[in-house]
Amino acid sequence: MKKVISALLAFSMLFFYLPTLGAAETVKISPKNPTCIPVEAQALLLCDVTPSTPIAWVRVYFNSNAYKDDYFVEMRRDAGNRFFGVLPFVDRTITKGVTVRMVVKSPEGIEFSTERANVPVSSSCPVSLSANQEKNARNLVVGATKSE
């Protein structure tokens, strides 16, 4: 009887352990950073996230070179593994560049991040938004972080 119970315990531990093996899978974020941030429009940021595992959220963190605190917007899933985020309009009187980074959080709370990228503000920066991206831009929610 003890051998049966021991075998059942060993099997059940294996059964509960196997699903967690894939949970620690490394997420790769391939950012499609813009070459410029427009003055007269909202900037579009894109990234591809692989593998296609469950994701708690994808965000783009950003800050103007005139401020030290980061802000963020939630990125929305587009086709396939592509996500998009739309930034608010820049304050062109003081902003000469914007620093961006993209972060993915797994359901287990593990965060994966890209390196920070500095993107200059330009008055001749072309932007083209799809209907879905325009809808998102009109209903933009911006989160704030606090530097310590």
Side-chain angles (χ1 to χ4, degrees):
M1 183 69 165
K2 284 185 178 181
K3 287 184 180 181
V4 171
I5 292 173
S6 295
L8 285 173
L9 283 173
F11 178 73
S12 65
M13 288 181 69
L14 180 65
F15 177 75
F16 289 112
Y17 177 70
L18 283 178
T20 63
L21 291 177
E25 193 169 13
T26 301
V27 172
K28 181 180 178 193
I29 309 167
S30 302
K32 312 294 183 215
N33 290 327
T35 56
C36 58
I37 301 291
V39 172
E40 300 295 330
Q42 291 173 275
L44 174 67
L45 285 99
L46 302 168
C47 72
D48 293 326
V49 177
T50 54
S52 186
T53 58
I55 294 171
W57 49 253
V58 179
R59 292 179 177 166
V60 57
Y61 285 85
F62 63 96
N63 70 296
S64 159
N65 62 350
Y67 303 104
K68 62 181 178 179
D69 292 340
D70 275 347
Y71 297 88
F72 66 88
V73 294
E74 298 286 335
M75 297 185 82
R76 303 287 181 231
R77 186 178 291 273
D78 217 351
N81 295 329
R82 169 106 359 135
F83 287 79
F84 74 90
V86 181
L87 299 185
F89 288 93
V90 297
D91 181 352
R92 64 180 170 183
T93 59
I94 59 173
T95 302
K96 305 299 179 217
V98 176
T99 301
V100 298
R101 72 184 170 95
M102 294 159 200
V103 179
V104 173
K105 186 172 185 178
S106 73
E108 294 81 23
I110 302 169
E111 290 187 8
F112 302 90
S113 178
T114 63
E115 295 293 322
R116 291 182 175 272
N118 295 310
V119 186
V121 173
S122 172
S123 59
S124 60
C125 185
V127 175
S128 177
L129 300 177
S130 70
N132 188 34
Q133 293 163 347
E134 284 182 19
K135 179 181 174 186
N136 183 261
R138 284 191 304 272
N139 299 294
L140 196 60
V141 176
V142 179
T145 65
K146 183 178 179 187
S147 60
E148 302 192 36

